[in-house]
Amino acid sequence: MSRFLWLIRREMWEHKAIWIAPAIVIACLFVLLLVSRAHLGYDVGMSFEDIPRDGQIRLHLLAYSIVTMIIFLVMGIVGFFYCIDSLYADRADRSVLFWKSLPLSDAETVLSKFATGAVVVPLVAAAGSVVAEVAVGGGLMAKLAVSGEYAGLWLHPQALLGGALAAIICCVTAILWYAPLVAYLMLVSAWAPRAPFLWAVLPPIAAMVLETVVMQTSYVRDFVAGRLLGAYEALATRGANGGTGEEVNGLAALAERLGKVDWAGRVAHFFASPDLWLGVVAAGLLLAAAMWVRRYRGENS
């Protein structure tokens, strides 16, 4: 186990963007907060402070959720490029010969890189989200207080714990839902003779275009979109009454609607989805293929 952890630590050392990227995003959000004009607005004659306490906390949680989604989006991009380069880079610079000379199996190497892309990246995103929520919430609360406006409940324990819980749920969701995508990118990285990005992206695009032109259907497109956005769509709020598309007018109405959403039911439904667990099985098969390819194609660039 200690050797496996050292392999993950090596990946963190060699790919500093995994921990530098969230720090840059947090800094950018904080600078944007300082230079922008913070104003909580009004709701049909009702000021923000007149909204019930529970409604204010729900609105703060919504803002924290947006911050979390920004961090996870950036880390998703970082994770994509890490996975697509994870096994190809060793072949490109011939360092695979050095690593194969060590008492390390192909399974250990592939699994350590998979754990970095599928587990460590979401964990770093979750930690960065919590830090960003505290930094943005505290900074905005201080700025509003100094300017004489209502500071809100940004640092209320219930709001902070809710934001942290949202980050944890996003982390677990990302680990399970995107596991097959990570494994697919690693398989391409292990096999591609060159330009692994193109080998990973062009086949799905070609399949979508070919299906649309020849069969006039969109099954491939729906599958790809579902795998990329399915986790977000399952957990996102489309309205308190199941997504009727009715317009929400004002902060008070938005807070009331957020209070009617069955968040626990959404999460439970997502984790009971067959697509989620079929994807986990597919990730295992793709990982096994990546190990086999690395073993017999290790010295080829």
Side-chain angles (χ1 to χ4, degrees):
M1 178 59 69
S2 61
R3 184 166 64 178
F4 188 78
L5 293 178
W6 272 105
L7 288 173
I8 295 179
R9 186 175 297 181
R10 185 201 80 165
E11 297 299 318
M12 297 289 290
W13 287 339
E14 293 185 351
H15 300 85
K16 295 181 175 61
I18 294 177
W19 54 270
I20 291 178
I24 294 176
V25 175
I26 293 172
C28 291
L29 288 174
F30 196 75
V31 170
L32 181 63
L33 171 67
L34 293 179
V35 301
S36 63
R37 181 176 182 271
H39 182 66
L40 292 178
Y42 294 91
D43 173 26
V44 195
M46 176 185 292
S47 65
F48 189 88
E49 56 187 309
D50 292 330
I51 298 175
R53 187 183 187 88
D54 290 343
Q56 291 187 39
I57 292 177
R58 285 193 290 270
L59 291 174
H60 289 112
L61 284 175
L62 178 61
Y64 284 153
S65 298
I66 295 174
V67 172
T68 298
M69 293 305 298
I70 294 174
I71 298 290
F72 270 86
L73 176 62
V74 173
M75 291 305 294
I77 297 173
V78 172
F80 173 86
F81 284 101
Y82 165 77
C83 293
I84 203 64
D85 193 56
S86 58
L87 296 174
Y88 174 79
D90 290 347
R91 294 186 292 112
D93 60 13
R94 302 293 184 179
S95 62
V96 65
L97 300 174
F98 168 75
W99 293 110
K100 280 184 172 290
S101 68
L102 299 178
L104 295 173
S105 66
D106 293 296
E108 286 179 304
T109 302
V110 173
L111 287 176
S112 65
K113 293 177 181 291
F114 175 78
T116 302
V119 180
V120 174
V121 170
L123 286 175
V124 172
S129 298
V130 174
V131 174
E133 290 166 6
V134 175
V136 171
L140 183 57
M141 191 172 182
K143 185 175 182 178
L144 290 170
V146 170
S147 63
E149 297 187 58
Y150 178 63
L153 302 172
W154 292 100
L155 296 183
H156 189 278
Q158 188 174 348
L160 291 176
L161 290 176
L165 179 60
I168 293 173
I169 292 175
C170 288
C171 176
V172 177
T173 298
I175 290 174
L176 294 175
W177 185 259
Y178 294 110
L181 179 59
V182 172
Y184 163 74
L185 294 175
M186 291 185 62
L187 175 59
V188 174
S189 181
W191 172 83
R194 57 180 57 84
F197 174 82
L198 295 179
W199 283 106
V201 173
L202 289 183
I205 294 178
M208 287 187 284
V209 173
L210 184 63
E211 181 192 20
T212 301
V213 173
V214 176
M215 303 179 61
Q216 301 295 317
T217 57
S218 59
Y219 295 111
V220 176
R221 183 187 63 189
D222 294 341
F223 174 78
V224 173
R227 184 49 60 177
L228 291 177
L229 304 175
Y232 168 77
E233 292 177 350
L235 299 177
T237 305
R238 293 185 296 274
N241 53 3
T244 60
E246 297 178 2
E247 184 179 359
V248 179
N249 295 314
L251 294 174
L254 177 59
E256 182 180 359
R257 175 162 294 190
L258 289 173
K260 296 178 181 179
V261 177
D262 182 13
W263 298 106
R266 287 179 179 269
V267 174
H269 177 74
F270 174 79
F271 284 101
S273 171
D275 292 340
L276 174 66
W277 302 109
L278 288 175
V280 173
V281 174
L285 297 176
L286 291 170
L287 275 180
M291 296 174 193
W292 186 89
V293 171
R294 186 180 188 273
R295 177 177 303 171
Y296 295 105
R297 192 184 171 85
E299 289 114 10
N300 297 326
S301 61

